[in-house]
Amino acid sequence: MYDAAMQRPANILIVMTDHQRADTVRRDHPAKTPNARRLADAGVEFANTYCTAPHCCPSRASFFSGLYPSRSGVWNNILNDQRLSWGLNPGVRLFSEDLADAGYRMFYTGKWHVDGCQSPERFAWRSGTLSARPGDSHGLTWLAACEKAGQWTAPLAHRDDGIIERYGYPNVKAYGTRTGKVADDQTTLEAVEKIRQFADGDSPWCVFAGLTGPHDPYMVPQRFLDLYDLDDVPLPLSFSDDLRDKPRIYQRLRRDVWGQLSDREVRDAIRHFWAYCSYLDELLGQMLDAVDQSGQAENTLVLFCADHGDYCGDHGLFSKGIPAFTGAYQVPAIIRYLGRLKKPGRVVNELVSLTDLYPTFLEAAGLPARRGLAGSSLMPFIEDRTPSNWRDALFGQCNGVELLYTQRWIHTPDHRYVFNGFDFDELYDLRADPHQMRNCADDPAFADIKRSLCARMWSLARELGDAAPCSYVTVGFAPAGPGAAFIEA
């Protein structure tokens, strides 16, 4: 039995990628990620881990704060003029502050994208090279549009492979190759140096390495692309979905944007995505080597995860955003903590949220649990104990990306229900239809299931302080209103 008095506070290494799908680190996936497998073989893989929102800022804010967007205050891109907030609500505390108060040495390098006004230093980190930091700007401005207008006034005479043509917008290069050192190389170098430096001291430490890939466009070194033969890359099983029974914004994304790519280009984009994951995996390996060579591997909790996923060709889509399919929500999550781990190499299939990591870090540090967090510690799973009261449903919140849409979902092992305030709802029978090809929301056979899931969704919304009941007659479209949370309780 674990004795907190005998256990030193764990060091913590967090490696977070951007846009990486959960399936890319699994044993049966074609993506070559040997270091993720090395980590999983010595640790625990949480195979059903989900983010709270389908894009960077709200998901990262949830990871660091242990709160859903309704309480963190971060709903969309805080470095864009369409932002709903500049950043975190006043008084929101991040796990880094708890660790620093307990004597941890803290270091942050790489992508931030949590608060548009406050840098990691405000939350007790010392930082290296940062991206997506306060002062950066994402998205098109009128000034930039004016300066580049001459580049956008005529269609391309010839559309090269992987190019998404957008009249009046910047064209998009979906994939390609690159050379030279980039931000992720620098992030890894700084993380490795700091791990080695911290290993010489007596105080516990926490290092966060925020890698920017495999975010689109999928630009990778050629040597990683050479690991994959295009002829071996299939189209996803859901690629044949015509989306006719899905919201029209999904249809529009495929028709007007990703539908420009031929089937071969779709497969090539997938190949580049896998290659990008392999490149990032090599960087993960360098950081693992630093921990293993430090003499502190036994007492270091290593987490590999992503902020959200990428559709990567599912349903003919790429990137992330308002479509609520699991590809953009399900993320890799692997933890190695040799000092407390039981039965390494296990796969945990319970539903896990990125909000569960804050309480996990607290427990690894020997700190008391904090009230008010949305998640629960994963330490019981690390120690091969399954809590009897672990959740059987997860909730998601989205108010749009740069265009604003109200969308909420509830996910159970059997079903995924999506409330779309801007269009018709979605309901998928995950046992019979894991790729979410058939929308059962209007099937009378699923009416009771839909209403029950909707009631549970509102119940979770109430618990998380989500002010989106949508009760006025012009917006009250859900099949069961928020009162159902009490009727069916």
Side-chain angles (χ1 to χ4, degrees):
M1 183 63 65
Y2 166 67
D3 184 356
M6 300 295 292
Q7 182 76 34
R8 292 180 54 214
N11 305 312
I12 300 171
L13 169 63
I14 303 162
V15 181
M16 176 180 278
T17 59
D18 189 345
H19 268 242
Q20 188 162 357
R21 295 168 58 95
D23 55 10
T24 55
V25 300
R26 292 180 183 158
R27 299 181 194 280
D28 59 353
H29 194 275
K32 296 174 173 61
T33 54
N35 289 297
R37 295 315 322 158
R38 162 188 167 193
L39 189 67
D41 288 343
V44 180
E45 181 178 352
F46 295 90
N48 281 304
T49 301
Y50 289 80
C51 59
T52 59
H55 45 121
C56 299
C57 297
S59 182
R60 288 169 180 265
S62 289
F63 174 83
F64 285 103
S65 70
L67 304 173
Y68 273 72
S70 51
R71 289 203 166 127
S72 75
V74 178
W75 286 98
N76 64 353
N77 190 339
I78 43 82
L79 299 178
N80 186 285
D81 289 341
Q82 291 291 92
R83 60 185 170 266
L84 289 172
S85 72
W86 280 100
L88 297 162
N89 282 335
V92 168
R93 186 173 176 85
L94 307 190
F95 71 75
S96 51
E97 298 173 271
D98 290 337
L99 296 181
D101 286 350
Y104 273 70
R105 292 165 291 168
M106 309 294 296
F107 182 72
Y108 197 110
T109 178
K111 185 169 183 177
W112 173 233
H113 224 193
V114 175
D115 194 293
C117 299
Q118 302 172 107
S119 67
E121 283 79 5
R122 158 63 181 79
F123 301 100
W125 297 96
R126 292 194 175 184
S127 63
T129 305
L130 299 177
S131 62
R133 61 196 186 278
D136 289 352
S137 178
H138 297 162
L140 182 65
T141 65
W142 284 115
L143 177 61
C146 180
E147 290 175 345
K148 297 183 179 181
Q151 304 173 30
W152 302 340
T153 54
L156 297 171
H158 170 73
R159 186 184 68 82
D160 291 333
D161 280 2
I163 296 295
I164 306 296
E165 187 176 7
R166 306 188 304 162
Y167 181 76
Y169 290 101
N171 290 332
V172 172
K173 185 175 180 61
Y175 57 84
T177 57
R178 61 168 177 77
T179 58
K181 296 287 186 181
V182 295
D184 289 338
D185 298 306
Q186 180 65 25
T187 294
T188 303
L189 176 65
E190 292 181 2
V192 166
E193 288 179 346
K194 194 58 65 172
I195 291 166
R196 291 171 176 164
Q197 176 186 331
F198 283 165
D200 291 334
D202 295 326
S203 302
W205 52 264
C206 178
V207 171
F208 181 95
L211 304 179
T212 59
H215 195 298
D216 63 293
Y218 315 132
M219 306 296 292
V220 296
Q222 183 65 44
R223 67 186 178 92
F224 292 98
L225 196 61
D226 291 342
L227 296 173
Y228 301 93
D229 188 330
L230 182 57
D231 291 338
D232 295 333
V233 180
L235 291 170
L237 292 173
S238 63
F239 187 77
S240 61
D241 186 0
D242 61 18
L243 299 175
R244 289 183 185 178
D245 61 351
K246 314 298 193 299
R248 287 185 62 83
I249 183 62
Y250 301 11
Q251 299 173 33
R252 190 173 187 180
L253 277 168
R254 180 163 186 176
R255 182 195 68 189
D256 295 350
V257 181
W258 307 113
Q260 294 185 39
L261 302 177
S262 67
D263 288 4
R264 185 191 62 78
E265 289 173 288
V266 168
R267 291 169 43 243
D268 208 7
I270 295 169
R271 178 172 72 125
H272 281 74
F273 185 86
W274 294 352
Y276 210 158
C277 292
S278 294
Y279 158 63
L280 299 170
D281 188 78
E282 181 173 278
L283 302 183
L284 169 65
Q286 294 173 23
M287 288 180 270
L288 285 178
D289 288 344
V291 171
D292 292 345
Q293 294 162 10
S294 71
Q296 297 185 342
E298 185 79 9
N299 195 47
T300 299
L301 185 155
V302 179
L303 167 69
F304 175 75
C305 66
D307 57 356
H308 57 79
D310 188 301
Y311 294 118
C312 199
D314 286 355
H315 306 272
L317 306 171
F318 285 91
S319 194
K320 75 286 190 184
I322 199 65
F325 304 118
T326 55
Y329 280 93
Q330 196 171 16
V331 296
I334 303 172
I335 292 178
R336 188 188 76 177
Y337 183 11
L338 301 177
R340 289 176 66 172
L341 180 72
K342 306 297 182 186
K343 298 180 182 178
R346 284 180 292 112
V347 176
V348 171
N349 289 308
E350 275 76 11
L351 293 173
V352 168
S353 167
L354 286 183
T355 62
D356 294 327
L357 277 307
Y358 190 146
T360 304
F361 299 149
L362 291 184
E363 186 166 354
L367 299 174
R370 284 195 59 218
R371 297 183 62 184
L373 299 181
S376 300
S377 174
L378 300 175
M379 199 61 71
F381 297 107
I382 293 171
E383 297 176 335
D384 196 27
R385 297 181 289 110
T386 301
S388 60
N389 60 344
W390 194 257
R391 69 172 69 89
D392 63 355
L394 281 173
F395 181 54
Q397 297 179 327
C398 181
N399 280 352
V401 187
E402 272 74 55
L403 291 177
L404 306 182
Y405 305 89
T406 296
Q407 183 181 73
R408 302 290 185 269
W409 55 258
I410 183 168
H411 182 101
T412 73
D414 295 327
H415 299 96
R416 186 175 181 86
Y417 166 72
V418 185
F419 166 62
N420 292 312
F422 53 90
D423 208 324
F424 295 107
D425 294 349
E426 299 163 77
L427 174 63
Y428 302 104
D429 181 349
L430 297 177
R431 299 292 189 192
D433 179 25
H435 300 287
Q436 299 146 87
M437 296 285 284
R438 178 174 176 259
N439 183 3
C440 301
D442 291 333
D443 187 335
F446 287 83
D448 290 344
I449 291 172
K450 179 173 68 172
R451 189 172 71 177
S452 176
L453 287 169
C454 194
R456 292 192 67 188
M457 179 192 74
W458 289 126
S459 180
L460 288 167
R462 175 174 177 258
E463 179 183 320
L464 295 164
D466 188 353
C470 300
S471 61
Y472 187 57
V473 66
T474 61
V475 292
F477 301 137
F486 305 94
I487 298 169
E488 302 197 12

